Amino acid sequence: MEERFVFSLIHCYFIALGVIMGGSIIGSIGYLATGDPPLTSITTVARKLRIWAIVAAIGGTFDAISNFEKGILNGSTLDIVKQILLIITAMGGAQTSLLIIEWLTQEDIE
């Protein structure tokens, strides 16, 4: 694999991690303002942000679909493999972030 793709994998991982960490912490401020418990709300928001973190990390759904189309119609399996690796990396970043939030709040995330 080329060096730039490895950089993309690293970026994808940390973008997904950052979306969930930042979104859940900042999003819990709204729960705090309305009188709900902030630690419980962090885990609630983190659960809701999973798919959005993955979509944000891979650069939007239309790019992923066009890369799959390019791989299928043009016979370029390398594009499909790269896109699958990006999605798996984003899922890893999201899962890591959920585990960190679980450790910090001492609550079980499903």
Side-chain angles (χ1 to χ4, degrees):
M1 284 186 212
E2 59 192 44
E3 188 174 320
R4 294 189 55 87
F5 180 67
V6 174
F7 292 156
S8 295
L9 288 176
I10 293 169
H11 293 161
C12 192
Y13 177 86
F14 284 104
I15 288 171
L17 187 132
V19 166
I20 291 185
M21 291 292 285
S24 61
I25 292 171
I26 299 298
S28 69
I29 293 173
Y31 284 87
L32 180 66
T34 59
D36 292 332
L39 288 179
T40 304
S41 65
I42 288 175
T43 58
T44 303
V45 173
R47 271 188 239 124
K48 292 179 182 178
L49 284 177
R50 281 184 200 171
I51 190 68
W52 295 109
I54 295 168
V55 169
I58 63 171
T61 57
F62 293 116
D63 290 338
I65 292 171
S66 68
N67 285 338
F68 277 124
E69 178 187 16
K70 195 183 329 177
I72 292 171
L73 296 180
N74 296 340
S76 174
T77 57
L78 186 61
D79 289 333
I80 294 174
V81 170
K82 284 182 178 182
Q83 199 63 38
I84 290 171
L85 286 174
L86 282 172
I87 292 170
I88 290 171
T89 304
M91 292 171 102
Q95 187 62 31
T96 303
S97 182
L98 289 170
L99 286 173
I100 291 170
I101 289 172
E102 182 180 309
W103 290 339
L104 291 175
T105 61
Q106 294 296 310
E107 291 193 26
D108 291 328
I109 295 181
E110 301 166 355

